[in-house]
Amino acid sequence: TTTAAIGSGNVTSTGAILGTPVYMPPEQALGESVDERADVYALGALLYHVIAGTPPFEGRDATEVVRKVLSTSPAALVKIVPGVPADLAAIVAKAMARPREQRYADARAFAEDLRLFQLGQIPSVRANESEMEYDAALEAQLDAELRSKAVRPTRVTCLLAATLIPIFGVSEALFL
């Protein structure tokens, strides 16, 4: 595929690849067919951006952003945002998993884990830890939270509830 016609890394434009590169999953950047897991990736990237205050990938132009999408994973949220709840970081990591098979099957499953997180319950991503590759810092934070048996509400949780949960509600309504 040709990436030169993509335009800015932050704006969807006409060209060989349709989409906003900073929120685009690898398979879309390659010009392959996409399914609902591409939408999950994009929503995960949007949530990453909200939490981190910066998009998951940045570059001088769209071509550089697409190269990064194809070759790397974004920096772990627990390294960028001190104090981000490990469950929330794990949920975002699963939504943005490079292999599409490791992502949530659809936006409904993603939204359900976010709902469980908001309620202070253990999200499904915790049950599938062996399938995901977490870095040592994330695993240590998950262990600490399990020991304390409490995830304290943070500004991130409030921001999450105020901004993204309504989006998932609208998305779910559109899918129905």
Side-chain angles (χ1 to χ4, degrees), residues 63-158:
T63 302
E64 184 177 339
V65 172
V66 169
R67 267 193 226 114
K68 289 180 181 180
V69 167
L70 292 173
S71 64
T72 64
S73 294
L77 280 173
V78 296
K79 292 181 180 177
I80 295 174
V81 184
V84 68
D87 280 347
L88 182 57
I91 290 168
V92 173
K94 180 172 180 171
M96 292 187 67
R98 292 181 52 72
R100 70 175 106 188
E101 300 78 30
Q102 291 182 4
R103 290 182 213 141
Y104 291 98
D106 53 35
R108 180 175 283 130
F110 183 27
E112 177 61 16
D113 257 7
L114 288 170
R115 187 185 71 76
L116 290 172
F117 166 74
Q118 280 189 300
L119 295 173
Q121 298 175 4
I122 297 174
S124 71
V125 71
R126 188 69 76 78
N128 299 325
E129 285 178 346
S130 61
E131 296 176 18
M132 299 295 292
E133 291 184 24
Y134 297 115
D135 63 33
L138 179 57
E139 287 187 33
Q141 191 172 352
L142 284 169
D143 290 342
E145 288 176 11
L146 277 176
R147 280 193 299 278
S148 70
K149 294 184 182 180
V151 177
R152 294 174 193 87
T154 65
R155 185 174 66 89
V156 172
T157 305
C158 295

Side-chain angles (χ1 to χ4, degrees), residues 1-35 38-39 41-42 62 66 69:
T1 55
T2 303
T3 57
I6 298 174
S8 164
N10 295 317
V11 179
T12 303
S13 63
T14 307
I17 300 171
L18 180 63
T20 305
V22 296
Y23 305 120
M24 186 181 293
E27 65 271 17
Q28 186 176 359
L30 286 169
E32 297 174 359
S33 64
V34 295
D35 58 18
D39 294 333
Y41 183 99
V66 169
V69 167

Side-chain angles (χ1 to χ4, degrees), residues 28-52:
Q28 186 176 359
L30 286 169
E32 297 174 359
S33 64
V34 295
D35 58 18
E36 48 275 318
R37 291 171 294 185
D39 294 333
V40 168
Y41 183 99
L43 288 169
L46 179 62
L47 182 54
Y48 181 103
H49 192 161
V50 169
I51 295 168

